[in-house]
């Protein structure tokens, strides 16, 4: 008799649900038998601008070397990031998306008998990477959908090795300020690694959000994770990075795949980092789109959670799942977030002005119909 390979999986994995990504455009086009060009996808916090021309040119240049393994140490990108971030290159860890950084942290620091602390309504990958290695996920109730940093501190015990905090958080868009981060970092015990997930920080800088890099010197137990998937517009290439003490970077380097960032991604990320015009346009488009969506929600009479990301969670005041399905029928893909404990919200990525308008029109239609 063969074994029950679900029951044989380690207990933490048995209790996991797989990550649910935004529905791909082609999948909906197949299901509805409609032209993909008519579909608007605002479901995965992707950059609506299209990739930077500089990144595209760098990819074309790198194509000639596809038969070779990439630079396993990512020398050039690490140097560029170190210079940009004011750290040593020994403090940089590159990842296959910042998702990879989260995995490296859990593999290096978590194990059965240990735990990771994070907030309710936080990024769905935190429980996955925690339970995948047999560690316990300690989920702390949120305050007004945002991180309750005091309660998170109180949840830390002798077996805690990692705290995941996202600023701003996905899918809520909520954030905390420099005073709150300062107090938190000063109070976290030294044996706990604080993973400050700044996947959306480029959209939020210059405002009320602290820059995690400013805290690295004083806090050797801090790791800041960032990505090229959002404001830099390279989600498909999967490239992110961690900034930490050299010791933590050295530990993460021991458990990563030898070639975890591919050569096209390395080349494109270097070029994207240099394209300040693209970044400025990403931010401008996002700010304008955020206002457009808020104006639209106000006109329909809906509330929302204030957001510092490239997305916004709108409160439909009733179960969102049926309306999500109705929107699909209108060719508009957004993200239901019931699996994040938010059954009445839909998370909508800020798109191009015409995409935002299409979404608002469809939303208003399905709301009046329903
Ligand atoms: N952190 C947060 C908060 C995110 O929302 C995401 C992407 N959805 C990631 C990390 C991972 O993104 P990537 O692996 O593309 O860098």
């Amino acid at each position: 008799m063969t074994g029950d390979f679900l029951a044989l999986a380690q207990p933490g994995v048995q209790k996991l649900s797989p990550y649910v990504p935004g529905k791909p455009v082609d999948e909906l086009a197949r299901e509805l038998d409609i032209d993909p060009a008519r579909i608007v996808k605002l479901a995965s916090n992707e950059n609506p601008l299209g990739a930077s021309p500089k990144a595209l040119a760098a990819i074309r240049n790198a194509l000639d070397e596809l038969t070779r393994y990439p630079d396993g140490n990512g020398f050039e990108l690490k140097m560029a990031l170190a210079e940009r971030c004011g750290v040593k290159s020994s403090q940089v860890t590159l990842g296959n998306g910042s998702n990879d950084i989260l995995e490296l942290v859990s593999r290096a620091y978590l194990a059965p008998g240990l735990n990771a602390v994070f907030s309710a309504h936080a990024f769905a990958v935190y429980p996955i990477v925690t339970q995948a290695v047999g560690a316990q996920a300690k989920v702390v109730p949120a305050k007004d959908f945002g991180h309750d940093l005091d309660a998170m501190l109180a949840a830390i015990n002798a077996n805690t090795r990692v705290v995941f905090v996202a600023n701003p958080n996905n899918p809520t868009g909520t954030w905390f300020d420099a005073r709150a981060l300062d107090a938190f970092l000063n109070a976290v015990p030294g044996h706990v690694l604080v993973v400050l997930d700044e996947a959306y920080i480029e959209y939020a800088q210059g405002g009320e959000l602290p820059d995690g890099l400013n805290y690295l010197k004083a806090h050797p137990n801090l790791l800041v994770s960032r990505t090229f998937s959002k404001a830099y517009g390279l989600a498909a290439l999967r490239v992110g990075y961690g900034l930490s003490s050299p010791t933590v970077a050295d530990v993460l380097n021991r458990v990563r795949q030898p070639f975890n960032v591919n050569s096209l991604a390395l080349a494109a990320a270097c070029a994207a980092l240099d394209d300040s015009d693209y970044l400025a346009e990403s931010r401008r488009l996002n700010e304008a789109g955020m206002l457009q969506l808020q104006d639209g929600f106000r006109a329909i009479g809906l509330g929302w959670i204030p957001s510092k990301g490239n997305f916004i969670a709108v409160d439909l005041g009733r179960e969102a799942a049926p309306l999500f399905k109705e929107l699909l029928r209108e060719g508009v893909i957004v993200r239901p977030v019931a699996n994040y404990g938010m059954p009445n919200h839909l998370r909508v990525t800020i798109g191009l002005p015409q995409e935002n308008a299409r979404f608002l029109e469809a939303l208003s239609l399905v709301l009046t119909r329903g």
Side-chain angles (χ1 to χ4, degrees), residues 35-58:
D35 179 1
R38 282 192 43 227
I39 295 174
V40 170
K41 183 187 176 204
L42 301 174
S44 299
N45 299 347
E46 294 153 337
N47 194 320
L49 256 185
S52 141
K54 289 189 177 169
L56 291 174

Side-chain angles (χ1 to χ4, degrees), residues 19-324:
Y19 182 79
V20 184
K23 196 174 186 64
V25 167
D26 286 344
E27 187 178 300
L28 184 65
R30 269 195 311 273
E31 285 170 7
L32 296 186
D33 195 20
I34 54 174
D35 179 1
R38 282 192 43 227
I39 295 174
V40 170
K41 183 187 176 204
L42 301 174
S44 299
N45 299 347
E46 294 153 337
N47 194 320
L49 256 185
S52 141
K54 289 189 177 169
L56 291 174
I59 290 170
R60 278 186 213 107
N61 273 339
L63 285 174
D64 289 341
E65 297 292 322
L66 281 189
T67 57
R68 305 211 177 271
Y69 282 103
D71 172 3
N73 290 318
F75 176 81
E76 239 182 281
L77 180 56
K78 275 192 189 170
M79 292 297 281
L81 284 168
E83 196 189 318
R84 179 65 55 96
C85 300
V87 298
K88 297 196 231 54
S89 65
S90 59
Q91 294 180 262
V92 183
T93 304
L94 300 181
N96 185 32
S98 59
N99 199 120
D100 197 21
I101 303 295
L102 306 176
E103 298 227 9
L104 298 181
V105 164
S106 75
R107 242 183 291 149
Y109 289 103
L110 296 173
L114 302 175
N115 68 67
V117 171
F118 50 86
S119 176
H121 318 302
F123 185 39
V125 166
Y126 306 155
I128 293 177
V129 299
T130 301
Q131 289 172 228
V133 296
Q136 183 203 353
K138 287 188 94 176
V139 185
V140 177
K143 205 157 79 181
D144 298 328
F145 291 103
H147 289 15
D148 182 344
L149 293 176
D150 289 334
M152 292 178 75
L153 275 175
I156 291 173
N157 64 23
N159 294 327
T160 304
R161 290 292 178 276
V162 179
V163 182
F164 292 106
V165 284
N167 202 30
N169 181 50
N170 169 27
T172 57
T174 50
W175 68 96
F176 45 83
D177 63 15
R179 262 185 57 192
L181 179 60
D182 225 25
F184 183 73
L185 289 173
N186 285 330
V188 169
H191 70 274
V192 176
L193 182 67
V194 177
V195 176
L196 179 59
D197 182 340
E198 293 189 336
Y200 301 94
I201 197 70
E202 294 86 1
Y203 290 110
Q205 266 171 350
E208 298 144 57
L209 271 80
D211 180 337
L213 303 185
N214 295 337
Y215 299 80
L216 283 172
K217 263 208 184 90
H219 299 282
N221 62 331
L222 173 65
L223 178 139
V224 176
S225 70
R226 293 187 174 179
T227 184
F228 284 91
S229 299
K230 311 295 176 183
Y232 287 101
L234 296 176
L237 291 178
R238 316 302 304 122
V239 50
Y241 56 101
L243 303 160
S244 65
S245 71
T247 307
V248 169
D250 169 49
V251 167
L252 300 184
N253 192 41
R254 297 176 191 204
V255 295
R256 72 177 174 87
Q257 273 189 54
F259 304 100
N260 60 334
V261 185
N262 73 71
S263 49
L264 303 186
L266 288 172
C270 281
L273 203 56
D274 260 348
D275 195 344
S276 51
D277 290 346
Y278 180 90
L279 189 63
E281 181 59 10
S282 293
R283 287 193 179 124
R284 193 200 61 73
L285 198 66
N286 195 60
E287 271 171 38
M290 185 69 88
L291 294 177
Q292 185 188 359
L293 287 186
Q294 290 175 354
D295 285 348
F297 296 152
R298 207 175 284 117
I300 308 174
L302 296 174
W304 63 87
I305 304 173
S307 167
K308 292 285 186 193
N310 66 341
F311 56 88
I312 185 165
V314 59
D315 184 355
L316 301 182
R318 55 172 138 143
E319 203 198 342
L323 292 160
F324 162 69

